[in-house]
Amino acid sequence: MIVAVDGPAASGKGTLARAIARHYGLPHLDTGLLYRAVALSVLRMELDPAVEADAVAACGFEDGLLADPVLRDDDTGRVASIVSAHPLVRAALFQRQKRFAQQPGGAVLDGRDIGTVIAPEADAKLFVQATPRIRAQRRHAELKARGDVTSFDKVLADIRARDQRDSERAVAPLAMAADAALLDTSYLSIDIAVSKALAFVEAQLSTRR
Ligand code: CDP
């Protein structure tokens, strides 16, 4: 069984995808990490993320890079949203995500285009949303806990800029699949959001059985 969890930055999709994976005993892939790894490689190779050929040259990163804590930095996320707009970067990462989704027994993937492009055949699809201000508060708290002193206003401006870039790009924009369930986590605790997400998944699975 494949579960697709999509949504904008800091909407809670990663937390929910991990909880769903744990609940069903499925492997989980945070696809944002792949784009973050391309971003970090571009920066380390001193190439230009806005130039498609430069970003493509960074797609052959070593798997070990996926464990680098620098991937979680705000700056890496910002550059990830620049490299991820290039069609050839998305094409270079496509098969890897598709293979993960189609492994025997199933998988949970979270990202921006899982339910629309990577696994349109998914058995359950969630689109996780929250207001920009609340997402910025969460991201700001996360960064602060890691010793990052970026101001709240900058985090909010970054979230808005990324929403715009991710939604307006020509290829695989951030968009809710027509058959996805919408979960707004703005005013939900993690526990309640997880139980609502599991209830949505169960409801979708029961209609497809
Ligand atoms: O953690 P956060 O939600 O801030 O971001 P992420 O999921 O790690 O993704 C970083 C960036 O990669 C996003 O802003 C998107 O531009 C891009 N991305 C994408 O285009 N497609 C995906 N399936 C996952 C991420």
Side-chain angles (χ1 to χ4, degrees), residues 5-14 30-36 71-72 74 76-85 90 97 110-114 118 139 142 159 162-163 165-166 169 171-174:
V5 184
D6 289 304
S11 56
K13 63 184 184 308
D30 169 358
T31 63
L33 283 185
L34 304 177
Y35 293 94
R36 285 172 178 264
L71 287 188
R72 307 274 176 195
D74 217 29
T76 315
R78 190 183 54 76
V79 176
S81 111
I82 297 172
V83 297
S84 72
R90 306 201 73 84
Q97 297 174 76
D110 74 84
R112 301 289 189 289
D113 63 341
I114 308 304
I118 303 296
R139 185 51 47 95
E142 246 171 64
I159 289 243
R162 277 177 51 191
D163 280 359
R165 250 199 314 271
D166 290 352
R169 68 179 173 227
V171 178
L174 169 68

Side-chain angles (χ1 to χ4, degrees), residues 132-134 136-137 151-161:
R133 187 159 280 279
I134 286 178
Q137 279 163 1
S151 73
F152 174 78
D153 287 348
K154 176 160 188 322
V155 174
L156 179 58
D158 281 353
I159 289 243
R160 291 193 198 279

